[in-house]
Amino acid sequence: MAEISVKNLHKEFGLGEDKVVALEDVNLDIGGHVFVSIVGPSGCGKSTLLNILSGIETPTSGKIDITHDNHEAAPGYVFQAARLLPWRTVMDNLLFVQTTRDQVVKDRCQHYLDMVHLGDKGDKYPGELSGGMQQRVGIARAFSVEPDVLFMDEPFSHLDAITARSLRRELHSMWVETQKTILFVTHDVGEAVELSNRILVFAKGGRLEDDITIDLPFPRDPADEAVAVAKAQVLRKFEELDLIAT
Amino acid sequence: MTTVAEPLSARQPKKTKQDNTLLRIVKSPKFARLLFPIAVLVVWYASIEIIRAIWPFAVDVLPTPTETVSAMWDELIDPFVEGTQAATRENLYATFARSLGRLGLGFAISMVLGTIIGLAMGLSKAADAFFHDWTMALLAMPALAWALFGSLVFGFGTAGPVFTVVAAGIPFVIINVREGVRNTPIELFDMARAFGVPQNRTTRHVLLPSLMPFMFAAVRYAFSIGWKGLVIAEVFGGQNGAGWTIKFWYDAHRAHAVVGYAFFFIIFALFLEKFVFDRMAERVFKWRPSAVEIVEEGFEDQSDLVESARADYGAIGAATALTEIGIVRESEQDG
């Protein structure tokens, strides 16, 4: 099982007067088959946290440990935009991030393309697919490296409501099936409540303000009363923390 | 009332239908394309006739289309007809082969040097500051000046024209490569790093393909600007080659051969454009989306997006722009 441990994490950008604190003294422990959502207003450092955890950025100070059965955990990443290589086919985009390219790996890539219902689109170029399909390729790519931890940075925020909803359902069943640890950044509280066991609330200035456990059975229907109540509770916490934009 | 209205309504659709077909033919791009050379020929003939009527002595100097075509034909068949080859000069094919050789050599040098300097300028601000003003100065320099300078320095022969090709083409290579490096897709490099893709694979599959559109622009510019520079340089500093040969006909007062040779220049350049560069571009950029191939999903007309991307960003940027436009439209719908 993947274990994520973050201690006294601090991150700032710029120097002198331009200095911006993105994350301030963040402490976290995440472990096992959990779906953790990170919510908060824009500029609260949620994407920065994900970038530091996945190694795209380095922290100013603090300690991060991501292990899987006591060895270094392999990460997968889904970005806000699909970030596919436009000059490679869908299948080659999946193969691009693999360490080897034997038949086993190819079959595995095909398996995850099937999982996102794009099994027959392997030889298409990303530009030939719609935005929702491209994002699904991005999800298949992240799963295809068989990561121990999956980082997702607002993966559905650029999609229309209906496409986003069907992708959320797909993601949920993939999470159940693959037993991954998922860290999911979003600014959509409804989305967070629908998908996660645990919601971390960040405030402006990069402080971790609250850690909410959502103990409701899956799959969750946003129209369901218990889900709606949970969403209202999280939103109320937002208000208490004065996080809602004035 | 009805008797008047009836024949009118019966006749009218028939008439408009006829008009439409005729209009459609006249308005079609194919017809317009065909019309242009015909119009040119008509103007050409007509102006010669008019000038002949005013000033009869001009007849010997002004080349008619028939004279020009027959001069071109003579050039084309020259090496295949025994005993006609002029001893003083090389035939058409040898001439163009020689010029192409010089163009190729100069082009290769300007590509290599230009790529090195362009990479340095794209990667380092100091290198950019060092080369920037002089690249702009090179751009402002007419090829004619390089040609004269080249023949002064290198004398008559190959070096002067090759030098002109390099000097005329290199600023375009530098600028395009620099822009290519500046426009590398950082988000794709971040993606590769997040997945732990090794550096050499990232270079091969992310950096180089992202540079390709800019390299292609560099190749096309270096070739077409270099070609024009070469011809001018051969006029002044060549002892053979395409530019020298058109000068040869000019000195011989053979106007129709001069015009005919100018047509060979055009044909040569268009041939390279259509059969070399366009083919290469088709192969390298087969990943670019075209409106027909887009797979439809959901509620949005993607082909519409592709078209507007094409219009806004041109063919080269359309693919990358497409995602961005898609994003903007989708978030607009949400809001």
Side-chain angles (χ1 to χ4, degrees):
Chain A
M1 276 294 154
E3 302 285 340
I4 300 171
S5 145
V6 176
K7 282 200 174 63
N8 308 99
L9 181 65
H10 199 79
K11 173 73 181 176
E12 47 197 48
F13 294 105
L15 289 165
E17 278 181 23
D18 298 329
K19 196 170 84 173
V20 176
V21 177
L23 292 168
E24 197 185 324
D25 197 27
V26 176
N27 290 284
L28 261 180
D29 275 300
I30 296 165
H33 174 224
V34 286
F35 195 117
V36 182
S37 283
I38 301 167
V39 298
S42 346
C44 71
K46 41 191 204 300
S47 291
T48 308
L49 175 65
L50 220 59
N51 285 343
I52 290 173
L53 289 174
S54 62
I56 293 175
E57 284 172 38
T58 48
T60 309
S61 66
K63 197 168 177 295
I64 297 161
D65 266 314
I66 306 175
T67 55
H68 180 76
D69 299 337
N70 295 323
H71 61 80
E72 206 180 322
Y77 210 120
V78 180
F79 303 88
Q80 205 163 359
R83 297 203 192 183
L84 305 172
L85 309 179
W87 39 80
R88 309 293 291 179
T89 61
V90 165
M91 184 47 114
D92 283 344
N93 262 287
L94 264 63
L95 290 173
F96 173 70
V97 298
Q98 309 296 328
T99 42
T100 55
R101 280 147 195 247
D102 50 39
Q103 197 53 47
V104 180
V105 172
K106 281 179 185 159
D107 290 344
R108 193 172 73 205
C109 290
Q110 186 59 49
H111 168 72
Y112 284 106
L113 279 182
D114 289 339
M115 233 175 179
V116 295
H117 309 295
L118 292 174
D120 58 335
K121 299 284 189 289
D123 55 355
K124 293 270 182 228
Y125 287 97
E128 298 174 75
L129 304 178
S130 70
M133 287 165 124
Q134 290 184 19
Q135 198 59 341
R136 278 172 20 210
V137 175
I139 293 169
R141 177 177 62 189
F143 274 94
S144 73
V145 298
E146 308 249 273
D148 304 313
V149 194
L150 201 58
F151 300 107
M152 307 183 90
D153 187 3
E154 306 198 25
F156 308 136
S157 62
H158 284 168
L159 302 173
D160 63 85
I162 297 170
T163 308
R165 197 163 143 198
S166 79
L167 284 187
R168 273 197 285 276
R169 284 187 190 145
E170 271 173 41
L171 175 65
H172 173 74
S173 58
M174 285 172 90
W175 171 65
V176 171
E177 200 170 317
T178 57
Q179 300 278 306
K180 304 286 180 211
T181 306
I182 295 182
L183 259 78
F184 187 93
V185 164
T186 179
H187 57 238
D188 180 345
V189 173
E191 184 174 73
V193 171
E194 194 183 329
L195 289 170
S196 33
N197 317 87
R198 203 173 148 189
I199 297 176
L200 306 173
V201 184
F202 275 76
K204 276 224 162 79
R207 290 184 316 278
L208 173 57
E209 289 287 354
D210 210 343
D211 190 341
I212 304 162
T213 305
I214 308 278
D215 211 1
L216 291 171
F218 289 106
R220 294 175 188 161
D221 184 348
D224 200 60
E225 204 191 327
V227 177
V229 168
K231 183 183 169 183
Q233 278 171 349
V234 177
L235 278 173
R236 202 168 306 132
K237 287 223 162 126
F238 260 61
E239 267 165 9
E240 280 168 25
L241 294 164
D242 197 26
L243 297 176
I244 287 177
T246 45
Chain B
M1 233 160 80
T2 41
T3 41
V4 180
E6 234 175 30
L8 252 180
S9 62
R11 216 182 311 142
Q12 213 137 348
K14 202 179 168 190
K15 199 182 169 193
T16 43
K17 202 179 176 187
Q18 264 181 340
D19 282 355
N20 276 348
T21 9
L22 200 75
L23 251 172
R24 237 196 350 261
I25 292 170
V26 172
K27 278 184 171 176
S28 77
K30 263 188 190 160
F31 181 79
R33 270 187 148 180
L34 267 173
L35 195 65
F36 186 77
I38 294 168
V40 168
L41 274 178
V42 168
V43 171
W44 190 351
Y45 266 117
S47 49
I48 284 180
E49 286 302 319
I50 291 165
I51 293 169
R52 200 213 297 260
I54 301 165
W55 191 27
F57 308 105
V59 172
D60 295 336
V61 187
L62 293 172
T64 62
T66 24
E67 277 173 339
T68 306
V69 169
S70 90
M72 288 171 78
W73 179 249
D74 286 345
E75 282 294 303
L76 281 169
I77 60 160
D78 184 40
F80 310 110
V81 182
E82 234 174 297
T84 55
Q85 192 170 334
T88 46
R89 61 186 186 90
E90 289 171 322
N91 69 45
L92 177 75
Y93 304 99
T95 298
F96 271 89
R98 195 176 284 281
S99 286
L100 185 63
R102 286 171 183 161
L103 181 60
L105 179 62
F107 166 76
I109 296 171
S110 62
M111 281 305 287
V112 171
L113 279 179
T115 304
I116 293 169
I117 297 172
L119 280 176
M121 286 174 80
L123 295 171
S124 145
K125 275 190 180 150
D128 190 47
F130 183 78
F131 287 111
H132 182 270
D133 295 345
W134 295 102
T135 311
M136 293 302 138
L138 275 182
L139 269 178
M141 184 91 155
L144 173 67
W146 288 123
L148 289 173
F149 182 65
S151 71
L152 279 176
V153 173
F154 299 104
F156 295 99
T158 299
V162 171
F163 166 78
T164 308
V165 173
V166 175
I170 202 165
F172 293 94
V173 181
I174 292 174
I175 285 171
N176 274 294
V177 172
R178 185 190 67 176
E179 285 312 302
V181 173
R182 285 182 177 176
N183 284 291
T184 47
I186 292 158
E187 72 286 352
L188 291 182
F189 287 113
D190 279 349
M191 180 275 291
R193 193 157 63 232
F195 280 100
V197 176
Q199 191 60 50
N200 60 349
R201 202 195 297 169
T202 307
T203 305
R204 228 177 64 227
H205 294 302
V206 182
L207 179 65
L208 292 182
S210 77
L211 284 178
M212 281 316 274
F214 297 92
M215 291 305 282
F216 247 84
V219 165
R220 279 182 197 260
Y221 270 115
F223 229 98
S224 62
I225 305 280
W227 167 239
K228 287 169 191 165
L230 177 77
V231 172
I232 294 170
E234 283 176 342
V235 167
F236 292 107
Q239 287 180 307
N240 42 36
W244 180 86
T245 311
I246 201 169
K247 176 84 178 338
F248 171 88
W249 290 121
Y250 172 81
D251 289 340
H253 296 283
R254 297 274 293 276
H256 48 267
V258 172
V259 176
Y261 236 78
F263 276 119
F264 282 131
F265 289 170
I266 297 171
I267 292 164
F268 178 73
L270 286 183
F271 177 83
L272 282 177
E273 184 72 16
K274 279 275 158 218
F275 292 97
V276 181
F277 296 131
D278 282 0
R279 292 282 164 85
M280 257 158 69
E282 249 169 57
R283 276 178 61 110
V284 176
F285 300 122
K286 64 169 189 265
W287 54 269
R288 278 185 193 157
S290 79
V292 205
E293 290 162 350
I294 292 284
V295 178
E296 297 285 344
E297 189 207 52
F299 332 92
E300 236 179 12
D301 188 5
Q302 289 283 333
S303 59
D304 188 60
L305 287 181
V306 178
E307 282 311 306
S308 64
R310 282 251 164 81
D312 291 347
Y313 291 81
I316 287 173
T320 30
L322 186 60
T323 24
E324 290 168 23
I325 289 177
I327 286 162
V328 172
R329 295 249 172 119
E330 274 154 359
S331 50
E332 272 171 7
Q333 277 177 352
D334 280 357

